[in-house]
Amino acid sequence: MAKSPSDSFFQTVENLGQCLQSHLSNFLQRIDSHRKSDPSLSFNQEKLSSSSSATVADDPINLPPLLVKQDQSAKPSTKEEVGRATWTLLHTIAAQLPERPTKQQKRDVKELMAILSRIYPCKECADHFKEVLKANPVQAASQAEFSQWLCHVHNVVNRSLGKPAFLCNRVDARWGKLDCQDRACDLQGIDTFLDK
Ligand code: FAD
């Protein structure tokens, strides 16, 4: 007997349902094996505890399950940690700058410093850095000039915190260019790009 249009429709819906169920099942199996191989990954317990003893597999309505990296030692960063990370970023930017930066790159580093002096996540540091910038306008005509300028202003901050000054003739030894395969991290300067 020929199938009616409604039979075909219901058949299609059933096929779709089976397909979806099979994908969901594969997905859950992959997550479960991933979780077993890395015990620090576990399902969000808070979400699961609200659904009594049911497992995620029993309860696809709660999908997708939230995977969280449970790091018991995770806590907010301190002012010192953020400071070290920021100096690392800044000195690395200085080291990576092409010997002859483009006009855009010179503008970018100046703007980066101005932005930091406004949104650095420690108000007293940001306010102090604004003063430091006023007294020491950014110098970034070349890579060498910018890294020396940065070393100088870092020393101004060091001194204000009672820390010893860093010898700026050692800045290239401390903060060299990134060691990337095939120089893939290198930025282009005005020797390789039209100055914009
Ligand atoms: P950091 O000063 O963080 O230096 C990291 C590393 O850089 C050092 O270990 C050393 O190897 C190297 N280094 C040190 N000096 C230089 C230099 N002159 N040139 C090149 N490399 C150097 N903290 C406050 O409490 N008050 C503030 O007002 C304040 N202002 C800040 C403003 C800015 C823009 C930034 C980025 C940070 C500021 N901080 C401030 C944080 C502070 O400067 C330090 O980062 C923090 O106290 C941790 O210090 P540290 O001794 O670990 O070394």
Side-chain angles (χ1 to χ4, degrees), residues 64-115:
L66 219 52
L67 277 176
V68 288
K69 186 95 181 157
Q70 289 198 330
D71 180 355
Q72 301 302 334
S73 65
K75 53 184 187 310
S77 304
T78 63
K79 187 167 69 167
E80 286 69 28
E81 286 165 346
V82 171
R84 274 191 289 277
T86 307
W87 287 122
T88 297
L89 174 68
L90 294 178
H91 288 294
T92 306
I93 287 175
Q96 281 295 105
L97 214 57
E99 227 161 274
R100 301 172 64 203
T102 62
K103 277 187 188 158
Q104 183 62 53
Q105 286 163 337
K106 291 177 206 170
R107 273 197 295 268
D108 286 346
V109 289
K110 282 180 190 171
E111 198 161 335
L112 177 59
M113 295 303 141
I115 290 170

Side-chain angles (χ1 to χ4, degrees), residues 79 83-84 87 91 120 125 151 154-155 158 163 174-175:
K79 187 167 69 167
R84 274 191 289 277
W87 287 122
H91 288 294
Y120 189 78
C125 311
C151 181
H154 191 166
N155 275 339
N158 285 344
K163 296 179 196 238
R174 171 68 178 86
W175 303 103

